[in-house]
Amino acid sequence: MTATMPQTVALTGQMLIAGNPVHGTGKQITAFDPSAEQPLQPTYRHGDRSHVNAACAAALAAFATYRASTAAERAAFLETIAGNIELIRDDIIARAMAETGLPQARITGEVARTTGQLRLFADLLREGSWNGARIDPALPDRDPLPRPDLRQRAVPLGPVAVFAASNFPLAFSVAGGDTASALAAGCPVVVKAHDAHPGTSELVGRAITEAVAAAGLPAGTFSLLFGSGPDLGIALVTDPRIKAVGFTGSRSGGMALVEAAAQRPEPIPVYAEMSSINPVFLLDGALTQRAADLGRAFVTSLTTGSGQLCTNPGLVIAVDGNGLDAFLAAARDALADSAAAPMLTPGIARSYADGVAALTREAELVGSGQGSDSQTNCQAALFATDARSLLASETLQAEVFGAASLVIRCRDAAEMRAVAENIEGQLTATVHAEPSDYDDARDLIPLLELKAGRILFNGWPTGVEVGHAMVHGGPYPATSDSRSTSVGSRAIERFLRPVCYQDVPKSLLPSAIADGNPDHLWRRIDGRLQQN
Amino acid sequence: MTATMPQTVALTGQMLIAGNPVHGTGKQITAFDPSAEQPLQPTYRHGDRSHVNAACAAALAAFATYRASTAAERAAFLETIAGNIELIRDDIIARAMAETGLPQARITGEVARTTGQLRLFADLLREGSWNGARIDPALPDRDPLPRPDLRQRAVPLGPVAVFAASNFPLAFSVAGGDTASALAAGCPVVVKAHDAHPGTSELVGRAITEAVAAAGLPAGTFSLLFGSGPDLGIALVTDPRIKAVGFTGSRSGGMALVEAAAQRPEPIPVYAEMSSINPVFLLDGALTQRAADLGRAFVTSLTTGSGQLCTNPGLVIAVDGNGLDAFLAAARDALADSAAAPMLTPGIARSYADGVAALTREAELVGSGQGSDSQTNCQAALFATDARSLLASETLQAEVFGAASLVIRCRDAAEMRAVAENIEGQLTATVHAEPSDYDDARDLIPLLELKAGRILFNGWPTGVEVGHAMVHGGPYPATSDSRSTSVGSRAIERFLRPVCYQDVPKSLLPSAIADGNPDHLWRRIDGRLQQN
């Protein structure tokens, strides 16, 4: 295992700006242990515009050197970050559990996912397809005009701002998918940590900072800031040195960054992964054959992580009848056995309670999880209504972050399709179907393709595999840019742009597009793939 | 040759909305023959919001059917458009020459380029790489959790709005690169024609409309509108049914569309190709060996199409000295022989005169082309200044659309690099270098990679090859989205987004990602390319 830091790290309560620990000057942040209902030391403070300025200046200064690193060097760097995280994983797990109230198995799995993501991008860097290498060889004798020698490869966009999520303190946070894919692309990263887990953020930030130093990279390759609002988040997005933004969070938070970016003279890509209620379509055959099993499995998916997952199944659509009644009965029983569990922060718990109250006003409550005395615990809730009410109401279509879901009783398959056609964009759309349902499913898939980044059958949307074929994205409001994915190897493409080299002398060409293919890449020669 | 229309077409002065000729209701447009200095019949009129509404409604209605067409069907459709254009090419050439004042050879070449682009996308559709097919096979026995079967392919975004350019009445207009790539992707297209060549637009629009009908596609697959401002251009970009925008034109026009799109609730991609002054760096060895040849070749590139090209060389950077003096002397002589030539429209000619007047106030005039009595002719103009003045002035960095260029006398190679580092984003950056210059060139290339979409050596930026490795794009303000190209086969990617299919039953999978690879595609299996 590659690792470059001491095994025990004392938290300092500081930001990390280009390798330097810096105390914030603004609002105090004290992490809160939702299980113990107690504040956690040390105290952190928000940074201000001067910290944004320092981090962005260092990132730009680092960019020329960092982007000139070889893919192999960046791969080793990512692996060192993974090694450092593993070296201090016990500290990270303990702190993340305290800060989030999430169980040990979940956090342990998330550490593995985070290091796995870093290593996936290291492998991708060595494999080389991310270069997008293309060569259209010169045709000096072409009539009426000769063709020049044209070669294309990808280059990094520049410094990237990453806004960490509340609900994945590791995999979508300081060293999460956005950071890993931006660093892999050759872009320095400035992370805005989430206030909900500052200690976890500092620990992981230290792991990255140590890896930067060990690799001999410029210190500005990575910075970690705390803060919010115009002084920090908006200042970061509107800094002219920032060339792309990654964000995971709420619709209001994501759209605030999109709007801030739109005020810049120079448009930049903003990849905001925002809100999704992840519709689940239960077709007749599936309900007939396995309604009770579906009801129980649904509740397991709904209550995972207290429902605080981007892919939580917040909407269930089925034709009304005995099958749906059996599904609801099983779900109601499973919910009744489902214990209240802590939510990430008191604020998230309050928002959840507001969302449940709004659903209660507009839909019928059909089942609840167990209650609790704690204000920060999540009591799961299941509602039902009809399709017409759903499509007429913004409230019913809004994401309630937590273990709440809404079942839509449809009159027939046509009404299910109408729901598919008229809901907002989603990260996922799920279909439960038996072979007898395939004709209905065949009608549904084209509608779902326009609404979701991932279509899944006979499973549940929670649990996002990190691989090459994954899409964690989708039409607005699921994301602000449906052309990309924030999970899996294609995430690197978000931070690259193509450059064409015309008649550039052989000795000056980058190796990815050099004669003789020194990097042994698959390259598109006259549009056809070749590896020689 | 596939073609489906009569060989002679009488112009009607109408828009084409989902196959129907419709008279506009707004401002009258009369094309103007800049050579003959005479108006051209028939008269057209701008459309209004009702026409935008009708075209977008038809485009959305067509989308479900059009996107379900096979790649082979779309390829044949694009070839029919090309065949129809060739069938009426004599009419098109005559009308385009009259409307633009561009010479026959140029328009004839542009027709060939336009049909060539359509056929390039037809070939690409059959080749299939645009599907982006990826499969991560299921790992049912993986510990601790099984991996589902995950497959990814690209789907079209939805109806696309295309804003035609003034300066390429065919290749960047009604059936130009934006339309060809959007139709190839499976997106219906609504074109906003350019007022400068309405007759050419109607002719080409008829060629597409006839091809839509012959292919049995829904009529809303294509519409052609005339108009401008809030009632048409902005209405089109803000219509919720439009899912992407392609534009070629001025910076102010492009940014107006970017800003309008930012007002939409749903963010959409806007691909605006805007302004570029295409710096040319003359290194010492090149100037020593071939200053006079460079001066003459520069003027040929500068005055092509009266300088009305996006890649016109508007900025020349060199170290001051005998070599640069020789270059300027040769350029001055060549300019003196360069005849005035008509510009596309009286408005463009007025803007050019304003731009030249602004340069005259801030820089030294070092040479001019021949003058003329006509108000619509372009008199080429060459200016010079120093690097400090350039970098301090917005005026000197602004694009002057036409045959004007500015030479920057630098003190040394470091000052040339400072210019490279501090200019705005560009479509192209050119370097003239001999082997003795390669060390300087090696320092320059990384700077140019951050500023331009295409870097070329020992040539001139005008003349954009249509192929697989071309990038016609670049950082702002060259475009509003540097991640893409508007020329070449990769342009199709602008109108696609990925969808992941998880555990979808085999019989319901799209053929691109089906078992057995029925489409014989190169696919990424577990991240590795395979064709089986």
Side-chain angles (χ1 to χ4, degrees):
Chain A
M1 180 171 63
T2 323
T4 62
M5 66 189 295
Q7 206 168 340
T8 303
V9 176
L11 292 175
T12 69
Q14 292 175 90
M15 303 187 287
L16 293 163
I17 300 180
N20 298 313
V22 177
H23 283 289
T25 49
K27 185 185 141 192
Q28 196 164 303
I29 323 164
T30 308
F32 185 84
D33 181 342
S35 299
E37 299 198 48
Q38 292 214 340
L40 284 159
Q41 292 309 316
T43 288
Y44 292 76
R45 297 190 87 99
H46 279 183
D48 58 33
R49 285 170 199 272
S50 72
H51 301 114
V52 169
N53 185 52
C56 292
L60 181 62
F63 182 42
T65 304
Y66 186 55
R67 78 186 195 87
S69 61
T70 65
E73 287 164 350
R74 290 202 298 286
F77 168 52
L78 295 178
E79 287 167 342
T80 303
I81 298 174
N84 284 351
I85 288 172
E86 281 164 355
L87 201 71
I88 59 169
R89 80 195 273 281
D90 292 349
D91 283 2
I92 290 173
I93 290 170
R95 181 75 187 192
M97 286 174 62
E99 288 185 328
T100 64
L102 292 168
Q104 180 161 14
R106 155 69 193 273
I107 295 292
T108 303
E110 208 182 311
V111 170
R113 176 175 169 156
T114 305
T115 55
Q117 284 182 156
L118 288 159
R119 294 193 173 106
L120 174 78
F121 285 107
D123 290 346
L124 181 74
L125 282 171
R126 295 194 179 99
E127 183 266 336
S129 59
W130 60 275
N131 284 287
R134 293 170 168 237
I135 301 177
D136 295 344
L139 299 173
D141 303 323
R142 191 182 62 174
D143 188 57
L145 286 171
R147 180 170 81 176
D149 180 276
L150 294 163
R151 300 172 189 233
Q152 185 186 124
R153 69 153 182 166
V155 301
L157 288 178
V160 170
V162 170
F163 288 74
S166 63
N167 60 340
F168 279 86
L170 297 152
F172 285 88
S173 190
V174 178
D178 287 348
T179 298
S181 52
L183 288 177
C187 299
V189 169
V190 180
V191 172
K192 202 288 280 177
H194 199 284
D195 284 1
H197 50 265
T200 309
S201 298
E202 187 190 345
L203 286 171
V204 175
R206 298 275 286 276
I208 301 176
T209 297
E210 296 280 352
V212 168
L217 292 169
T221 303
F222 173 78
S223 290
L224 173 68
L225 304 176
F226 294 97
S228 69
D231 269 0
L232 205 121
I234 301 302
L236 187 54
V237 169
T238 53
D239 189 288
R241 293 161 291 205
I242 292 296
K243 298 301 181 190
V245 176
F247 166 90
T248 306
S250 68
R251 183 165 174 172
S252 59
M255 290 311 290
L257 298 189
V258 168
E259 280 154 31
Q263 303 306 312
R264 295 171 55 113
E266 174 189 30
I268 56 171
V270 179
Y271 303 102
E273 193 259 86
M274 300 182 292
S275 80
S276 180
I277 55 174
N278 304 296
V280 177
F281 295 82
L282 306 175
L283 302 191
D284 271 357
L287 274 181
T288 303
Q289 291 197 24
R290 47 191 168 96
D293 287 348
L294 285 170
R296 286 185 288 269
F298 161 68
V299 169
T300 301
S301 177
L302 177 67
T303 55
T304 302
S306 298
Q308 300 164 117
L309 299 175
C310 322
T311 54
N312 194 51
L315 194 67
V316 177
I317 303 103
V319 173
D320 209 3
N322 293 341
L324 182 56
D325 289 344
F327 169 87
L328 285 169
R332 196 183 295 116
D333 289 349
L335 273 176
D337 291 338
S338 140
M343 299 199 82
L344 292 161
T345 68
I348 288 173
R350 278 192 299 275
S351 293
Y352 176 73
D354 290 348
V356 167
L359 287 173
T360 305
R361 284 191 294 273
E362 295 203 18
E364 167 203 0
L365 181 70
V366 294
S368 295
Q370 293 172 6
S372 128
D373 290 338
S374 165
Q375 294 288 324
T376 61
N377 273 358
C378 174
Q379 179 178 21
L382 183 62
F383 296 86
T385 190
D386 56 38
R388 186 184 303 232
S389 302
L390 173 76
L391 296 177
S393 164
E394 276 192 28
T395 302
L396 294 177
Q397 282 204 54
E399 181 183 32
V400 175
F401 191 64
S405 190
L406 177 63
V407 176
I408 309 303
R409 303 180 198 268
C410 296
R411 280 172 311 197
D412 51 25
E415 201 169 61
M416 289 180 74
R417 286 197 297 276
V419 171
E421 229 173 326
N422 291 292
I423 50 171
E424 295 186 309
Q426 307 287 344
L427 293 170
T428 70
T430 300
V431 180
H432 282 276
E434 292 297 315
S436 60
D437 298 317
Y438 285 1
D439 283 344
D440 282 338
R442 202 169 276 116
D443 292 341
L444 207 47
I445 288 174
L447 306 176
L448 300 182
E449 285 172 342
L450 299 183
K451 296 292 177 178
R454 177 163 56 111
I455 296 168
L456 61 148
F457 269 63
N458 299 329
W460 300 94
T462 46
V464 180
E465 183 70 29
V466 180
H468 302 285
M470 175 51 64
V471 176
H472 191 64
Y476 174 85
T479 77
S480 57
D481 190 335
S482 70
R483 293 164 293 174
S484 66
T485 174
S486 60
V487 173
S489 59
R490 280 200 64 183
I492 195 173
E493 296 172 18
R494 299 177 300 161
F495 304 115
L496 296 168
R497 45 171 275 263
V499 171
C500 174
Y501 301 76
Q502 178 175 325
D503 287 334
V504 171
K506 309 294 185 200
S507 65
L508 298 176
L509 280 169
S511 64
I513 48 176
D515 281 358
N517 198 5
D519 295 353
H520 309 292
L521 302 176
W522 281 98
R523 310 195 290 189
R524 226 165 254 287
I525 312 294
D526 266 331
R528 306 285 152 174
L529 281 166
Q530 292 180 30
Q531 202 176 17
N532 49 37
Chain B
M1 179 172 62
T2 322
T4 61
M5 66 188 298
Q7 206 168 339
T8 304
V9 177
L11 292 175
T12 69
Q14 291 175 91
M15 303 187 287
L16 294 163
I17 300 180
N20 297 313
V22 177
H23 282 288
T25 50
K27 185 184 141 193
Q28 198 164 300
I29 322 166
T30 308
F32 185 83
D33 181 342
S35 298
E37 300 197 50
Q38 293 214 339
L40 285 159
Q41 292 307 318
T43 288
Y44 292 76
R45 299 189 85 98
H46 280 181
D48 59 32
R49 286 170 198 274
S50 73
H51 301 116
V52 170
N53 186 52
C56 293
L60 181 63
F63 182 42
T65 304
Y66 185 55
R67 77 186 196 87
S69 62
T70 65
E73 287 164 351
R74 289 202 298 287
F77 167 52
L78 294 178
E79 287 167 342
T80 302
I81 298 173
N84 284 351
I85 288 172
E86 280 163 356
L87 201 71
I88 58 170
R89 78 195 272 283
D90 293 348
D91 284 2
I92 289 173
I93 290 169
R95 180 76 188 190
M97 286 174 61
E99 288 184 329
T100 63
L102 292 169
Q104 180 162 13
R106 154 69 193 274
I107 296 292
T108 304
E110 208 182 310
V111 170
R113 176 175 168 156
T114 305
T115 55
Q117 284 182 157
L118 289 158
R119 293 193 173 105
L120 174 77
F121 285 107
D123 290 346
L124 181 74
L125 283 170
R126 295 193 179 99
E127 183 265 338
S129 59
W130 61 275
N131 284 288
R134 293 171 169 237
I135 301 178
D136 295 343
L139 299 173
D141 302 323
R142 190 182 63 174
D143 188 55
L145 286 171
R147 180 170 82 177
D149 179 275
L150 293 163
R151 301 172 189 234
Q152 185 185 125
R153 68 152 182 166
V155 302
L157 288 178
V160 170
V162 171
F163 288 75
S166 63
N167 60 340
F168 280 87
L170 297 152
F172 285 88
S173 189
V174 178
D178 287 348
T179 298
S181 52
L183 288 176
C187 299
V189 169
V190 180
V191 172
K192 200 288 279 174
H194 199 282
D195 283 2
H197 50 265
T200 310
S201 298
E202 187 190 346
L203 287 171
V204 176
R206 298 274 286 277
I208 302 175
T209 298
E210 296 280 353
V212 169
L217 292 169
T221 302
F222 173 78
S223 289
L224 174 68
L225 304 176
F226 293 97
S228 68
D231 269 359
L232 203 120
I234 301 301
L236 186 53
V237 168
T238 53
D239 189 289
R241 292 160 293 203
I242 293 295
K243 298 301 182 191
V245 176
F247 167 89
T248 305
S250 68
R251 184 165 173 173
S252 59
M255 289 312 290
L257 299 187
V258 168
E259 279 154 30
Q263 304 305 314
R264 298 169 53 112
E266 174 189 28
I268 57 170
V270 178
Y271 302 102
E273 194 259 87
M274 300 183 291
S275 80
S276 181
I277 54 174
N278 304 296
V280 178
F281 294 83
L282 306 176
L283 302 191
D284 273 356
L287 273 181
T288 304
Q289 292 197 22
R290 46 190 166 95
D293 288 349
L294 286 170
R296 287 185 287 270
F298 161 68
V299 169
T300 302
S301 176
L302 177 67
T303 54
T304 302
S306 298
Q308 300 163 116
L309 299 175
C310 323
T311 54
N312 194 51
L315 193 67
V316 177
I317 302 104
V319 173
D320 208 3
N322 294 341
L324 182 56
D325 288 344
F327 170 86
L328 286 170
R332 196 184 295 115
D333 290 349
L335 273 176
D337 291 340
S338 142
M343 299 200 80
L344 293 160
T345 68
I348 287 171
R350 277 192 299 277
S351 293
Y352 175 72
D354 292 347
V356 167
L359 287 173
T360 305
R361 283 191 294 274
E362 296 203 16
E364 167 203 0
L365 180 70
V366 294
S368 296
Q370 293 172 4
S372 129
D373 290 340
S374 166
Q375 295 288 324
T376 62
N377 273 358
C378 174
Q379 179 179 18
L382 183 61
F383 297 87
T385 190
D386 55 38
R388 187 185 302 235
S389 301
L390 173 77
L391 295 177
S393 165
E394 275 192 29
T395 302
L396 294 178
Q397 282 203 54
E399 182 183 31
V400 176
F401 191 64
S405 190
L406 177 62
V407 176
I408 308 304
R409 302 180 198 268
C410 295
R411 281 173 308 197
D412 51 24
E415 201 171 61
M416 290 180 74
R417 286 197 297 277
V419 171
E421 228 171 328
N422 290 292
I423 50 172
E424 294 186 311
Q426 307 288 343
L427 292 170
T428 70
T430 300
V431 180
H432 282 277
E434 291 298 313
S436 61
D437 299 316
Y438 285 1
D439 283 344
D440 282 339
R442 202 171 276 116
D443 291 341
L444 208 47
I445 289 174
L447 306 176
L448 301 181
E449 284 172 342
L450 299 183
K451 296 292 177 178
R454 177 163 55 111
I455 296 168
L456 61 147
F457 268 64
N458 299 329
W460 300 96
T462 46
V464 181
E465 183 70 30
V466 180
H468 302 285
M470 176 51 64
V471 177
H472 192 65
Y476 174 84
T479 77
S480 58
D481 189 336
S482 70
R483 294 165 291 174
S484 64
T485 175
S486 60
V487 173
S489 60
R490 280 199 63 183
I492 195 173
E493 296 172 18
R494 300 176 300 161
F495 304 116
L496 296 168
R497 45 172 276 264
V499 172
C500 174
Y501 301 76
Q502 177 175 324
D503 287 335
V504 170
K506 310 293 185 200
S507 65
L508 298 176
L509 280 169
S511 64
I513 47 175
D515 281 355
N517 198 6
D519 295 352
H520 309 292
L521 302 177
W522 282 98
R523 310 195 289 189
R524 226 165 252 288
I525 312 294
D526 266 331
R528 306 286 152 173
L529 281 166
Q530 292 179 29
Q531 202 176 20
N532 50 37

